[in-house]
Amino acid sequence: MSFLKNVIQNKCPNCGKGKVFKTNGNPFLFQMPEMHPECSECGHKFVKEPGYFFGAMYVSYGLAVAEMVATFFISRLFVTSLVHSLLFIVAAAFLLCTINFRYSRLLWIYMFDSKAKAKAN
Ligand SMILES: [Zn+2]
């Protein structure tokens, strides 16, 4: 469970102390979250190579689809029109875009960072 706790708390996969992201981002100001290039505590590099986070887009896609499906079913409790449900889904996708960005990258780092995986086992 420390894996999930560290992902939620934005902690370094190597030491569990440093932060991965500098800022949380704000969708209303069109600001995406910014990452630290390396951990401030242990110096662990978060970006291994150019394009390292390309695969995180697939994680982000999975998160976005899950959120949209959940939003659809929750919105169906309150509205009867499919058009209104679609508006709720678009609003939720917009509001959660920075959260998806952060958690998809954090999950990607935790899934494929060998040091962190070896430490967990
Ligand atoms: Zn660290």
Side-chain angles (χ1 to χ4, degrees):
M1 291 321 299
S2 68
F3 158 78
L4 274 179
K5 185 179 166 194
N6 283 351
V7 168
I8 290 168
Q9 292 180 340
N10 182 25
K11 297 290 185 185
C12 167
N14 192 40
C15 65
K17 293 175 186 167
K19 297 274 186 187
V20 176
F21 280 93
K22 287 184 219 174
T23 62
N24 289 337
N26 186 339
F28 297 109
L29 300 175
F30 300 104
Q31 292 174 340
M32 293 309 280
E34 286 183 50
M35 287 184 75
H36 290 287
E38 57 195 29
C39 179
S40 59
E41 299 292 324
C42 68
H44 182 73
K45 279 188 168 185
F46 299 128
V47 182
K48 304 290 180 202
E49 59 194 6
Y52 180 69
F53 291 110
F54 185 77
M57 287 193 306
Y58 297 105
V59 178
S60 179
Y61 174 75
L63 290 173
V65 168
E67 291 159 1
M68 288 178 184
V69 168
T71 303
F72 173 76
F73 286 112
I74 291 169
S75 71
R76 296 302 289 169
L77 298 173
F78 305 108
V79 295
T80 54
S81 165
L82 281 176
V83 174
H84 290 133
S85 287
L86 182 66
L87 291 175
F88 274 104
I89 290 169
V90 169
F94 176 74
L95 293 174
L96 296 172
C97 69
T98 56
I99 292 170
N100 281 349
F101 184 88
R102 271 189 299 135
Y103 286 121
S104 63
R105 285 191 172 204
L106 282 165
L107 287 170
W108 189 256
I109 288 173
Y110 272 83
M111 280 192 293
F112 294 107
D113 195 320
S114 59
K115 272 188 182 176
K117 279 176 77 176
K119 210 170 198 179
N121 292 331

Coordinates of all heavy atoms in Angstrom, one line a residue, residues 45-87:
K45 N 17.0 10.5 -11.1 CA 16.5 11.1 -12.3 C 15.1 10.6 -12.6 O 14.9 9.4 -12.7 CB 17.4 10.8 -13.4 CG 18.6 11.7 -13.5 CD 19.3 11.5 -14.8 CE 20.4 12.6 -15.0 NZ 21.0 12.4 -16.3
F46 N 14.1 11.5 -12.8 CA 12.8 11.1 -13.1 C 12.6 10.9 -14.6 O 11.8 10.0 -15.0 CB 11.7 12.1 -12.6 CG 11.8 12.2 -11.1 CD1 11.9 13.5 -10.6 CD2 11.7 11.1 -10.3 CE1 11.9 13.6 -9.2 CE2 11.7 11.3 -8.9 CZ 11.8 12.5 -8.4
V47 N 13.3 11.7 -15.4 CA 13.2 11.6 -16.9 C 14.4 10.8 -17.3 O 15.6 11.3 -17.3 CB 13.1 13.0 -17.5 CG1 13.0 12.8 -19.0 CG2 12.0 13.7 -17.0
K48 N 14.3 9.6 -17.8 CA 15.4 8.7 -18.1 C 16.0 9.0 -19.5 O 17.2 8.9 -19.7 CB 14.9 7.2 -18.1 CG 14.3 6.8 -16.8 CD 15.4 6.7 -15.7 CE 14.8 6.2 -14.4 NZ 15.6 6.6 -13.3
E49 N 15.1 9.4 -20.4 CA 15.5 9.7 -21.8 C 14.4 10.5 -22.4 O 13.3 10.6 -21.9 CB 15.7 8.4 -22.5 CG 14.5 7.5 -22.6 CD 14.8 6.1 -23.0 OE1 15.9 5.8 -23.2 OE2 13.8 5.4 -23.2
P50 N 14.8 11.2 -23.6 CA 13.7 11.9 -24.3 C 12.6 11.0 -24.7 O 12.8 9.8 -25.2 CB 14.4 12.5 -25.5 CG 15.9 12.5 -25.1 CD 16.1 11.3 -24.2
G51 N 11.4 11.4 -24.5 CA 10.2 10.5 -24.8 C 9.9 9.5 -23.8 O 9.1 8.6 -24.1
Y52 N 10.5 9.6 -22.6 CA 10.3 8.5 -21.6 C 8.8 8.5 -21.2 O 8.3 7.4 -20.9 CB 11.2 8.9 -20.4 CG 11.0 7.9 -19.2 CD1 11.5 6.6 -19.3 CD2 10.4 8.3 -18.0 CE1 11.4 5.7 -18.3 CE2 10.3 7.4 -17.0 CZ 10.8 6.1 -17.1 OH 10.6 5.3 -16.1
F53 N 8.1 9.6 -21.2 CA 6.7 9.6 -20.8 C 5.7 9.5 -21.9 O 4.5 9.7 -21.7 CB 6.5 10.9 -20.0 CG 7.2 10.9 -18.7 CD1 8.2 11.8 -18.5 CD2 6.8 10.1 -17.7 CE1 8.9 11.8 -17.3 CE2 7.5 10.1 -16.5 CZ 8.5 10.9 -16.3
F54 N 6.2 9.1 -23.0 CA 5.3 8.8 -24.2 C 4.2 7.8 -23.8 O 3.0 7.9 -24.0 CB 6.0 8.3 -25.4 CG 5.2 8.2 -26.6 CD1 4.8 9.3 -27.3 CD2 4.8 6.9 -27.0 CE1 4.0 9.1 -28.5 CE2 4.0 6.8 -28.1 CZ 3.6 7.9 -28.9
G55 N 4.7 6.7 -23.1 CA 3.7 5.6 -22.7 C 2.8 6.1 -21.6 O 1.7 5.4 -21.4
A56 N 3.1 7.1 -20.9 CA 2.2 7.6 -19.8 C 0.9 8.1 -20.5 O -0.1 8.2 -19.8 CB 2.9 8.7 -19.0
M57 N 0.9 8.4 -21.8 CA -0.3 8.8 -22.4 C -1.3 7.7 -22.4 O -2.5 8.0 -22.3 CB 0.0 9.2 -23.9 CG 0.7 10.6 -24.0 SD 0.7 11.3 -25.6 CE 1.4 9.9 -26.6
Y58 N -0.9 6.5 -22.5 CA -1.8 5.3 -22.4 C -2.4 5.2 -21.1 O -3.6 4.9 -20.9 CB -1.1 4.0 -22.8 CG -0.6 4.1 -24.3 CD1 0.8 4.2 -24.5 CD2 -1.5 4.0 -25.3 CE1 1.2 4.3 -25.8 CE2 -1.0 4.0 -26.6 CZ 0.3 4.2 -26.9 OH 0.8 4.2 -28.1
V59 N -1.6 5.5 -20.0 CA -2.1 5.5 -18.7 C -3.2 6.6 -18.5 O -4.2 6.4 -17.9 CB -1.0 5.6 -17.6 CG1 -1.5 5.6 -16.2 CG2 0.0 4.5 -17.8
S60 N -2.8 7.7 -19.1 CA -3.7 8.9 -19.0 C -5.0 8.6 -19.7 O -6.1 8.9 -19.2 CB -3.1 10.1 -19.6 OG -3.9 11.2 -19.6
Y61 N -4.9 7.9 -20.8 CA -6.1 7.5 -21.6 C -7.0 6.6 -20.7 O -8.2 6.8 -20.7 CB -5.7 6.8 -22.9 CG -6.9 6.3 -23.7 CD1 -7.7 7.1 -24.4 CD2 -7.1 4.9 -23.7 CE1 -8.8 6.6 -25.1 CE2 -8.2 4.4 -24.4 CZ -9.0 5.2 -25.1 OH -10.0 4.7 -25.8
G62 N -6.4 5.6 -20.1 CA -7.2 4.7 -19.2 C -7.9 5.4 -18.1 O -9.0 5.2 -17.8
L63 N -7.1 6.4 -17.5 CA -7.7 7.1 -16.4 C -8.9 8.0 -16.9 O -9.9 8.1 -16.2 CB -6.6 8.1 -15.7 CG -5.5 7.4 -14.9 CD1 -4.5 8.4 -14.5 CD2 -6.1 6.7 -13.7
A64 N -8.7 8.6 -18.0 CA -9.7 9.5 -18.6 C -11.0 8.7 -18.9 O -12.1 9.2 -18.6 CB -9.2 10.3 -19.8
V65 N -10.8 7.6 -19.5 CA -12.0 6.8 -19.9 C -12.7 6.3 -18.6 O -14.0 6.4 -18.6 CB -11.6 5.6 -20.8 CG1 -12.7 4.6 -20.9 CG2 -11.1 6.0 -22.1
A66 N -12.0 5.9 -17.6 CA -12.6 5.5 -16.4 C -13.4 6.6 -15.7 O -14.5 6.5 -15.2 CB -11.6 4.9 -15.4
E67 N -12.8 7.8 -15.8 CA -13.5 9.0 -15.2 C -14.7 9.4 -16.0 O -15.7 9.8 -15.4 CB -12.5 10.2 -15.2 CG -11.4 10.0 -14.2 CD -10.2 10.9 -14.5 OE1 -10.2 11.7 -15.5 OE2 -9.2 10.8 -13.7
M68 N -14.6 9.3 -17.3 CA -15.8 9.6 -18.1 C -16.9 8.6 -17.9 O -18.1 9.0 -17.9 CB -15.3 9.6 -19.6 CG -14.5 10.8 -20.0 SD -14.0 10.7 -21.7 CE -12.9 12.1 -21.8
V69 N -16.6 7.3 -17.8 CA -17.6 6.3 -17.6 C -18.3 6.6 -16.2 O -19.5 6.6 -16.1 CB -17.1 4.9 -17.7 CG1 -18.0 3.9 -17.2 CG2 -16.7 4.6 -19.1
A70 N -17.5 6.9 -15.2 CA -18.0 7.1 -13.9 C -18.9 8.4 -13.9 O -19.9 8.4 -13.3 CB -16.8 7.3 -12.9
T71 N -18.4 9.4 -14.6 CA -19.2 10.7 -14.7 C -20.5 10.5 -15.4 O -21.5 11.0 -15.0 CB -18.3 11.8 -15.4 OG1 -17.1 11.9 -14.8 CG2 -19.1 13.1 -15.5
F72 N -20.4 9.6 -16.4 CA -21.7 9.3 -17.2 C -22.7 8.7 -16.2 O -23.9 9.2 -16.1 CB -21.4 8.4 -18.3 CG -22.7 7.9 -19.0 CD1 -23.4 8.8 -19.9 CD2 -23.1 6.6 -18.8 CE1 -24.5 8.4 -20.5 CE2 -24.3 6.2 -19.4 CZ -25.0 7.1 -20.3
F73 N -22.3 7.7 -15.5 CA -23.3 7.0 -14.6 C -23.7 7.9 -13.4 O -24.9 7.8 -13.1 CB -22.7 5.7 -14.1 CG -22.7 4.6 -15.2 CD1 -21.5 4.1 -15.7 CD2 -23.9 4.1 -15.7 CE1 -21.5 3.2 -16.7 CE2 -23.9 3.2 -16.7 CZ -22.7 2.7 -17.2
I74 N -22.8 8.7 -12.9 CA -23.2 9.6 -11.8 C -24.2 10.7 -12.4 O -25.2 11.0 -11.8 CB -22.0 10.2 -11.2 CG1 -21.2 9.2 -10.4 CG2 -22.4 11.4 -10.2 CD1 -19.8 9.6 -9.9
S75 N -23.9 11.2 -13.6 CA -24.7 12.2 -14.1 C -26.1 11.7 -14.5 O -27.1 12.4 -14.4 CB -24.1 12.9 -15.4 OG -24.1 12.0 -16.4
R76 N -26.2 10.4 -14.8 CA -27.5 9.8 -15.2 C -28.4 9.8 -14.0 O -29.6 9.7 -14.1 CB -27.3 8.4 -15.7 CG -26.6 8.4 -17.1 CD -27.2 9.2 -18.1 NE -28.5 8.6 -18.6 CZ -29.3 9.2 -19.4 NH1 -29.1 10.4 -19.8 NH2 -30.4 8.6 -19.8
L77 N -27.9 9.9 -12.7 CA -28.7 9.9 -11.5 C -29.4 11.3 -11.4 O -30.5 11.4 -10.8 CB -27.8 9.7 -10.3 CG -27.1 8.4 -10.2 CD1 -26.2 8.4 -9.0 CD2 -28.1 7.2 -10.1
F78 N -28.8 12.3 -12.0 CA -29.4 13.7 -11.8 C -30.0 14.3 -13.1 O -30.9 15.1 -12.9 CB -28.2 14.6 -11.4 CG -27.5 14.2 -10.2 CD1 -26.2 13.7 -10.2 CD2 -28.2 14.2 -8.9 CE1 -25.6 13.2 -9.1 CE2 -27.5 13.8 -7.8 CZ -26.2 13.3 -7.9
V79 N -29.6 13.9 -14.2 CA -30.1 14.4 -15.5 C -30.6 13.3 -16.3 O -30.1 12.2 -16.3 CB -29.1 15.3 -16.3 CG1 -28.7 16.5 -15.5 CG2 -27.9 14.5 -16.7
T80 N -31.7 13.6 -17.1 CA -32.2 12.5 -18.0 C -31.7 12.7 -19.4 O -31.8 11.7 -20.2 CB -33.8 12.6 -18.0 OG1 -34.1 14.0 -18.3 CG2 -34.3 12.2 -16.6
S81 N -31.3 13.8 -19.8 CA -30.9 14.0 -21.2 C -29.4 13.5 -21.4 O -28.5 13.8 -20.6 CB -31.0 15.5 -21.5 OG -30.3 15.8 -22.7
L82 N -29.2 12.9 -22.6 CA -27.9 12.4 -22.9 C -27.0 13.6 -23.2 O -25.7 13.5 -23.0 CB -27.9 11.4 -24.1 CG -28.3 10.0 -23.8 CD1 -28.4 9.2 -25.1 CD2 -27.4 9.4 -22.8
V83 N -27.5 14.7 -23.8 CA -26.7 15.8 -24.1 C -26.2 16.5 -22.8 O -25.0 16.9 -22.8 CB -27.6 16.9 -24.9 CG1 -26.8 18.2 -25.1 CG2 -28.0 16.3 -26.2
H84 N -27.0 16.5 -21.8 CA -26.5 17.1 -20.5 C -25.5 16.2 -19.9 O -24.5 16.6 -19.3 CB -27.7 17.3 -19.6 CG -28.6 18.4 -20.0 ND1 -30.0 18.3 -20.0 CD2 -28.3 19.6 -20.4 CE1 -30.5 19.4 -20.5 NE2 -29.5 20.3 -20.7
S85 N -25.7 14.9 -20.0 CA -24.6 13.9 -19.5 C -23.3 14.2 -20.3 O -22.3 14.1 -19.7 CB -25.1 12.5 -19.7 OG -26.1 12.1 -18.8
L86 N -23.4 14.4 -21.6 CA -22.2 14.7 -22.3 C -21.5 16.0 -21.9 O -20.3 16.0 -21.8 CB -22.6 14.8 -23.8 CG -21.4 15.0 -24.8 CD1 -20.5 13.8 -24.8 CD2 -21.9 15.3 -26.2
L87 N -22.3 17.0 -21.5 CA -21.7 18.2 -21.0 C -21.0 18.0 -19.7 O -19.9 18.5 -19.4 CB -22.8 19.3 -20.8 CG -23.4 19.8 -22.1 CD1 -24.5 20.8 -21.8 CD2 -22.3 20.5 -23.0

